[in-house]
Short mmCIF file of all heavy atoms in Angstrom, two decimals:
data_model
loop_
_atom_site.label_atom_id
_atom_site.label_comp_id
_atom_site.label_asym_id
_atom_site.label_seq_id
_atom_site.Cartn_x
_atom_site.Cartn_y
_atom_site.Cartn_z
N LYS A 159 11.06 3.50 0.46
CA LYS A 159 10.26 3.90 -0.69
C LYS A 159 8.78 3.90 -0.33
O LYS A 159 8.33 3.11 0.50
CB LYS A 159 10.47 2.92 -1.85
CG LYS A 159 11.87 2.92 -2.40
CD LYS A 159 11.98 1.92 -3.52
CE LYS A 159 13.37 1.87 -4.09
NZ LYS A 159 13.48 0.88 -5.17
N ILE A 160 8.02 4.76 -0.99
CA ILE A 160 6.58 4.84 -0.75
C ILE A 160 5.91 3.66 -1.43
O ILE A 160 6.17 3.37 -2.61
CB ILE A 160 6.02 6.17 -1.29
CG1 ILE A 160 6.70 7.36 -0.62
CG2 ILE A 160 4.51 6.23 -1.11
CD1 ILE A 160 6.35 8.70 -1.22
N LEU A 161 5.04 2.96 -0.70
CA LEU A 161 4.33 1.82 -1.27
C LEU A 161 3.31 2.28 -2.30
O LEU A 161 2.62 3.28 -2.09
CB LEU A 161 3.61 1.05 -0.17
CG LEU A 161 4.47 0.26 0.81
CD1 LEU A 161 3.59 -0.37 1.86
CD2 LEU A 161 5.27 -0.79 0.09
N PRO A 162 3.18 1.57 -3.41
CA PRO A 162 2.20 1.95 -4.43
C PRO A 162 0.78 1.62 -3.99
O PRO A 162 0.56 0.87 -3.03
CB PRO A 162 2.61 1.13 -5.65
CG PRO A 162 3.34 -0.03 -5.10
CD PRO A 162 4.01 0.45 -3.84
N ARG A 163 -0.18 2.15 -4.71
CA ARG A 163 -1.59 1.95 -4.38
C ARG A 163 -2.00 0.49 -4.43
O ARG A 163 -2.82 0.03 -3.65
CB ARG A 163 -2.47 2.70 -5.39
CG ARG A 163 -2.62 4.15 -5.15
CD ARG A 163 -3.55 4.75 -6.17
NE ARG A 163 -4.88 4.17 -6.06
CZ ARG A 163 -5.75 4.11 -7.06
NH1 ARG A 163 -5.43 4.59 -8.24
NH2 ARG A 163 -6.93 3.59 -6.89
N ARG A 164 -1.44 -0.25 -5.38
CA ARG A 164 -1.86 -1.65 -5.53
C ARG A 164 -1.46 -2.49 -4.32
O ARG A 164 -2.06 -3.53 -4.06
CB ARG A 164 -1.30 -2.23 -6.81
CG ARG A 164 0.18 -2.40 -6.84
CD ARG A 164 0.63 -3.06 -8.13
NE ARG A 164 2.05 -3.29 -8.08
CZ ARG A 164 2.96 -2.43 -8.48
NH1 ARG A 164 2.60 -1.26 -8.97
NH2 ARG A 164 4.24 -2.72 -8.39
N LEU A 165 -0.46 -2.05 -3.57
CA LEU A 165 -0.05 -2.77 -2.37
C LEU A 165 -0.69 -2.21 -1.10
O LEU A 165 -1.05 -2.96 -0.20
CB LEU A 165 1.47 -2.74 -2.22
CG LEU A 165 2.27 -3.45 -3.30
CD1 LEU A 165 3.75 -3.32 -3.04
CD2 LEU A 165 1.87 -4.91 -3.40
N SER A 166 -0.82 -0.90 -1.04
CA SER A 166 -1.37 -0.30 0.18
C SER A 166 -2.90 -0.35 0.20
O SER A 166 -3.50 -0.34 1.26
CB SER A 166 -0.90 1.14 0.32
OG SER A 166 -1.38 1.93 -0.74
N GLY A 167 -3.54 -0.37 -0.98
CA GLY A 167 -4.98 -0.42 -1.03
C GLY A 167 -5.65 0.93 -0.89
O GLY A 167 -6.87 1.00 -0.75
N ASN A 168 -4.89 2.00 -0.92
CA ASN A 168 -5.47 3.34 -0.78
C ASN A 168 -6.17 3.76 -2.05
O ASN A 168 -5.82 3.33 -3.15
CB ASN A 168 -4.38 4.37 -0.46
CG ASN A 168 -3.73 4.12 0.86
OD1 ASN A 168 -4.32 3.53 1.75
ND2 ASN A 168 -2.50 4.57 0.99
N SER A 169 -7.13 4.66 -1.90
CA SER A 169 -7.75 5.27 -3.07
C SER A 169 -6.77 6.29 -3.64
O SER A 169 -5.80 6.68 -2.98
CB SER A 169 -9.08 5.92 -2.71
OG SER A 169 -8.86 6.98 -1.81
N LEU A 170 -7.05 6.74 -4.85
CA LEU A 170 -6.14 7.68 -5.50
C LEU A 170 -6.00 8.98 -4.71
O LEU A 170 -4.90 9.50 -4.53
CB LEU A 170 -6.64 7.98 -6.91
CG LEU A 170 -5.81 8.96 -7.73
CD1 LEU A 170 -4.42 8.41 -7.97
CD2 LEU A 170 -6.50 9.27 -9.03
N LYS A 171 -7.12 9.46 -4.22
CA LYS A 171 -7.13 10.72 -3.46
C LYS A 171 -6.25 10.63 -2.22
O LYS A 171 -5.41 11.49 -1.95
CB LYS A 171 -8.56 11.04 -3.08
CG LYS A 171 -8.75 12.23 -2.20
CD LYS A 171 -10.26 12.44 -2.04
CE LYS A 171 -10.61 12.93 -0.69
NZ LYS A 171 -12.05 13.11 -0.53
N PHE A 172 -6.39 9.54 -1.46
CA PHE A 172 -5.63 9.41 -0.22
C PHE A 172 -4.21 8.96 -0.48
O PHE A 172 -3.32 9.26 0.32
CB PHE A 172 -6.35 8.47 0.74
CG PHE A 172 -7.54 9.12 1.38
CD1 PHE A 172 -8.82 8.83 0.97
CD2 PHE A 172 -7.37 10.06 2.38
CE1 PHE A 172 -9.91 9.43 1.55
CE2 PHE A 172 -8.45 10.68 2.97
CZ PHE A 172 -9.73 10.37 2.55
N GLN A 173 -3.96 8.27 -1.58
CA GLN A 173 -2.57 7.91 -1.91
C GLN A 173 -1.77 9.17 -2.20
O GLN A 173 -0.60 9.28 -1.80
CB GLN A 173 -2.53 6.97 -3.10
CG GLN A 173 -1.14 6.54 -3.50
CD GLN A 173 -0.44 5.68 -2.49
OE1 GLN A 173 -1.08 5.06 -1.65
NE2 GLN A 173 0.87 5.62 -2.56
N ARG A 174 -2.38 10.13 -2.86
CA ARG A 174 -1.70 11.40 -3.13
C ARG A 174 -1.43 12.14 -1.84
O ARG A 174 -0.36 12.74 -1.66
CB ARG A 174 -2.55 12.26 -4.06
CG ARG A 174 -2.55 11.77 -5.48
CD ARG A 174 -3.42 12.65 -6.34
NE ARG A 174 -3.42 12.18 -7.71
CZ ARG A 174 -4.38 12.43 -8.57
NH1 ARG A 174 -5.44 13.15 -8.21
NH2 ARG A 174 -4.31 11.99 -9.80
N ARG A 175 -2.39 12.12 -0.93
CA ARG A 175 -2.21 12.81 0.36
C ARG A 175 -1.13 12.14 1.21
O ARG A 175 -0.34 12.81 1.87
CB ARG A 175 -3.52 12.84 1.13
CG ARG A 175 -4.54 13.76 0.50
CD ARG A 175 -5.79 13.81 1.32
NE ARG A 175 -6.80 14.65 0.69
CZ ARG A 175 -7.98 14.87 1.21
NH1 ARG A 175 -8.33 14.33 2.36
NH2 ARG A 175 -8.85 15.63 0.58
N VAL A 176 -1.08 10.80 1.17
CA VAL A 176 -0.05 10.07 1.90
C VAL A 176 1.32 10.39 1.34
O VAL A 176 2.28 10.64 2.09
CB VAL A 176 -0.33 8.54 1.86
CG1 VAL A 176 0.89 7.76 2.28
CG2 VAL A 176 -1.50 8.19 2.74
N ALA A 177 1.44 10.38 0.02
CA ALA A 177 2.73 10.68 -0.62
C ALA A 177 3.19 12.09 -0.27
O ALA A 177 4.37 12.31 0.03
CB ALA A 177 2.62 10.51 -2.12
N GLN A 178 2.27 13.04 -0.28
CA GLN A 178 2.62 14.42 0.06
C GLN A 178 3.05 14.53 1.52
O GLN A 178 4.01 15.22 1.84
CB GLN A 178 1.43 15.34 -0.22
CG GLN A 178 1.75 16.80 -0.07
CD GLN A 178 2.75 17.27 -1.11
OE1 GLN A 178 2.71 16.87 -2.25
NE2 GLN A 178 3.67 18.11 -0.69
N ALA A 179 2.35 13.82 2.41
CA ALA A 179 2.70 13.85 3.83
C ALA A 179 4.07 13.22 4.07
O ALA A 179 4.87 13.73 4.88
CB ALA A 179 1.63 13.14 4.65
N ILE A 180 4.37 12.14 3.37
CA ILE A 180 5.68 11.49 3.52
C ILE A 180 6.79 12.41 3.02
O ILE A 180 7.84 12.55 3.65
CB ILE A 180 5.70 10.14 2.77
CG1 ILE A 180 4.81 9.13 3.50
CG2 ILE A 180 7.12 9.60 2.65
CD1 ILE A 180 4.61 7.84 2.77
N LYS A 181 6.55 13.09 1.91
CA LYS A 181 7.55 14.00 1.37
C LYS A 181 7.79 15.18 2.31
O LYS A 181 8.92 15.62 2.49
CB LYS A 181 7.11 14.50 -0.01
CG LYS A 181 7.17 13.40 -1.06
CD LYS A 181 6.59 13.86 -2.37
CE LYS A 181 6.53 12.72 -3.36
NZ LYS A 181 5.89 13.13 -4.63
N ARG A 182 6.72 15.67 2.93
CA ARG A 182 6.87 16.77 3.88
C ARG A 182 7.62 16.31 5.13
O ARG A 182 8.47 17.04 5.66
CB ARG A 182 5.51 17.32 4.27
CG ARG A 182 4.87 18.15 3.20
CD ARG A 182 3.53 18.66 3.61
NE ARG A 182 2.96 19.45 2.52
CZ ARG A 182 1.70 19.83 2.47
NH1 ARG A 182 0.86 19.49 3.43
NH2 ARG A 182 1.26 20.55 1.45
N ALA A 183 7.32 15.10 5.60
CA ALA A 183 8.00 14.57 6.77
C ALA A 183 9.49 14.33 6.49
O ALA A 183 10.33 14.53 7.37
CB ALA A 183 7.34 13.28 7.23
N ARG A 184 9.80 13.93 5.27
CA ARG A 184 11.21 13.77 4.90
C ARG A 184 11.92 15.12 4.87
O ARG A 184 13.08 15.22 5.27
CB ARG A 184 11.31 13.12 3.52
CG ARG A 184 11.01 11.65 3.51
CD ARG A 184 11.03 11.13 2.11
NE ARG A 184 10.84 9.70 2.05
CZ ARG A 184 10.56 9.03 0.94
NH1 ARG A 184 10.43 9.67 -0.19
NH2 ARG A 184 10.41 7.73 0.97
N GLN A 185 11.22 16.13 4.39
CA GLN A 185 11.82 17.45 4.25
C GLN A 185 12.23 18.03 5.60
O GLN A 185 13.27 18.68 5.71
CB GLN A 185 10.84 18.40 3.56
CG GLN A 185 11.38 19.75 3.23
CD GLN A 185 12.40 19.72 2.11
OE1 GLN A 185 12.37 18.86 1.25
NE2 GLN A 185 13.32 20.66 2.14
N ILE A 186 11.43 17.78 6.64
CA ILE A 186 11.77 18.32 7.97
C ILE A 186 12.43 17.25 8.85
O ILE A 186 12.47 17.39 10.06
CB ILE A 186 10.54 18.92 8.67
CG1 ILE A 186 9.46 17.88 8.87
CG2 ILE A 186 10.01 20.11 7.90
CD1 ILE A 186 8.30 18.39 9.71
N ALA A 187 12.93 16.19 8.23
CA ALA A 187 13.77 15.17 8.86
C ALA A 187 13.04 14.33 9.90
O ALA A 187 13.64 13.86 10.86
CB ALA A 187 15.02 15.79 9.46
N LEU A 188 11.74 14.12 9.72
CA LEU A 188 11.04 13.16 10.58
C LEU A 188 11.15 11.74 10.03
O LEU A 188 11.09 10.78 10.78
CB LEU A 188 9.56 13.55 10.70
CG LEU A 188 9.29 14.86 11.43
CD1 LEU A 188 7.81 15.18 11.40
CD2 LEU A 188 9.78 14.79 12.86
#
Side-chain angles (χ1 to χ4, degrees):
K159 295 180 181 179
I160 301 172
L161 289 177
R163 280 183 62 206
R164 68 177 184 271
L165 296 179
S166 64
N168 295 334
S169 64
L170 180 63
K171 175 175 145 181
F172 285 104
Q173 181 66 22
R174 286 179 180 156
R175 290 182 183 181
V176 165
Q178 188 66 39
I180 290 172
K181 290 173 186 177
R182 286 179 180 167
R184 285 176 176 166
Q185 186 71 28
I186 60 173
L188 294 176

